[in-house]
Amino acid sequence: MAAEELLETAREVLRQEAAAVLALADRLGAPFAAAVEAIVASRGRVVVTGIGKSGAIARKSAATLSSTGTPALYLHPAEGVHGDHGMVTPGDVVVALSYSGETDEISAILPALKRMRVLLIAVTGKPDSTLSGAADLILDVSVEREACPLNLAPTTSTTAMLALMDALAVAAMRVRRFTREDYALFHPAGSLGRRLLLRVSDLMRTGDRVAVCGPGATVHDALFTITRAQSGTAFILDETGRFQGILTDGDIRRLLLADEGAFHHPVGDRFNQSPRTIAPDRLASEAARIMQEPPGCLELPVLGENGMPVGVLNIKDVARAGIF
């Protein structure tokens, strides 16, 4: 088969599946709205079940619901009749996915679900099926034909089913007023979660890893302190321990280039008395932005409310945390 013929086959699949999703959008109505309201109003969880291709979509849909503010889990229907049905509790909403509505494994758990009096939502392409007959709400995902040239392999129908479940999750998310901060709480290891959750206090170096010098320190003292702390910056403090400014290893190199005898001179006023600083409760992402502002800095002093130093934020630690 020629390359152009292959590409045209692929384009036709995409066109058919896109058309099916658009047609599905036009069919949405009261049952969909009722399903969203039932999910949001439920005091339990959403239990999503399905097998085969529908099972794969059910697993993904449970994960999407859970990550967007709706507690959900996946129930394998074949395991359900052997004890896993116990994960369903009164007050839950069950969403059963089966295009034919006649899947044996789904049909086998329907009597138990009815006895538990949980609300059952059917996502099916056959509104007159066994599943539809047992359901409280029916979401119709029927398609004219599959993209498969034999009209056999679930292709267009599974795309429509997946899209509908995504729509259900997002609609519930909107009703719950789910925010970026809420999303970050559910995804603390993701880049968004780190940017929205990590504070300067979570990443800053403290204790012996902070280089500090008193008012009478020499340039030599500052360099020794920087080296011992494996840092790049020394904090200059006054007699009360209050932060006065910083002297970086770069500053020291420039002092020595200008005057070789500066090594044993007091720091005096040779330090930066107005460096950028940040509070420990600020977001690490804000600190990263400040550190990148021209001319840029590699370390950021962290000061408490009383102006006393509580730590130092190193750009390597910020980068290692995945904030950039």
Side-chain angles (χ1 to χ4, degrees), residues 18-39:
V21 172
L22 288 175
L24 180 61
D26 293 338
R27 293 205 307 271
L28 289 183
F32 181 86
V36 174
E37 291 170 0
I39 287 172

Side-chain angles (χ1 to χ4, degrees), residues 117-136:
R117 297 182 180 179
V118 296
L119 188 135
L120 176 61
I121 300 172
V123 179
T124 180
K126 306 295 181 182
D128 56 351
S129 62
T130 298
L131 173 59
S132 297
D136 299 289

